[in-house]
Amino acid sequence: DPARAEALLAEAGYAGEPITIAVGAGRYPNDEQVGQAVLAQLEAVGFNIDYQAVDFATMTAEVNLRKESSYDGWLQGWGATLLDSVGMLNAFYGGESASLPLFYENAEYTEVITAALATQDAAEFDRLIEEAQRIVWEDAGGLFLYFPVENLGVAGNVQGMQARFDEFFFVFPGVTVTE
């Protein structure tokens, strides 16, 4: 809702200060096109964006400076490498120690996630994780834009290989390669 976005910017007192957003081009399919689309949408509602299209390694090095980074925001992919709901939530929303420096701080979230880590009751754990997800969803601590289609090709002489959802490739028992 662009009109609502413009109204919220005015209500927040945004006066057109430049916001630096980086795209680490060359890492993900269509990353430059996605960056340009996001740029157009943000500018259409009144943001003044300083768009930085840089290579992925340069962007990552700058993002790793955390609060000293010159970027106000960036576009980056993230695979589900942790098969652990608390680990994935804290990777984004775990404050200054989060893997991705979103700098999200919310005392209610911290209380709920700490309780989830402490409980031995599976139903209570599930309830607390759902509550933590609700909190960060309502806060919109980060914007998740899309899920790219990933294509995986396997040579005809490789048998038993299965695609994974997390961008990692492992040779599992049962995978064979013939001449």
Side-chain angles (χ1 to χ4, degrees), residues 114-171:
T114 300
L117 285 167
T119 189
Q120 297 297 312
D121 182 288
E124 177 66 359
F125 177 83
D126 289 346
R127 185 192 71 73
L128 290 164
I129 292 302
E130 287 176 13
E131 178 65 9
Q133 290 174 337
R134 181 198 61 75
I135 293 166
V136 297
W137 178 262
E138 290 176 1
D139 277 354
L143 302 177
F144 297 87
L145 301 176
Y146 69 105
F147 294 93
V149 173
E150 294 191 25
N151 297 308
L152 174 66
V154 178
N157 64 336
V158 176
Q159 303 299 313
M161 180 72 181
Q162 294 186 13
R164 292 175 51 99
F165 62 90
D166 58 8
E167 298 182 348
F168 286 90
F169 299 99
F170 299 101
V171 178

Side-chain angles (χ1 to χ4, degrees), residues 14 17-26 28 30-43 47-55 59 70-76 145-146:
Y14 178 69
E17 302 86 356
I19 297 172
T20 303
I21 295 182
V23 173
Y28 300 102
N30 300 317
D31 47 14
E32 177 64 18
Q33 292 89 335
V34 170
Q36 290 291 333
V38 170
L39 170 67
Q41 291 174 351
L42 291 172
E43 289 181 336
F47 281 102
N48 177 11
I49 302 298
D50 174 17
Y51 181 79
Q52 303 283 318
V54 297
D55 65 87
M59 185 191 81
S70 63
Y71 303 148
D72 298 306
W74 62 95
L75 301 177
Q76 178 175 342
L145 301 176
Y146 69 105

Side-chain angles (χ1 to χ4, degrees), residues 21-110:
I21 295 182
V23 173
R27 169 63 173 93
Y28 300 102
N30 300 317
D31 47 14
E32 177 64 18
Q33 292 89 335
V34 170
Q36 290 291 333
V38 170
L39 170 67
Q41 291 174 351
L42 291 172
E43 289 181 336
V45 297
F47 281 102
N48 177 11
I49 302 298
D50 174 17
Y51 181 79
Q52 303 283 318
V54 297
D55 65 87
F56 186 77
T58 298
M59 185 191 81
T60 300
E62 183 68 22
V63 168
N64 285 339
L65 295 174
R66 304 187 80 77
K67 286 191 175 180
E68 286 74 41
S69 171
S70 63
Y71 303 148
D72 298 306
W74 62 95
L75 301 177
Q76 178 175 342
W78 186 266
T81 57
L82 303 171
L83 300 178
D84 162 30
S85 52
V86 173
M88 286 303 298
L89 283 166
N90 276 336
F92 293 104
Y93 306 113
E96 293 211 21
S97 63
S99 299
L100 282 176
L102 298 181
F103 310 113
Y104 177 83
E105 297 287 345
N106 180 310
E108 182 185 10
Y109 168 82
T110 301

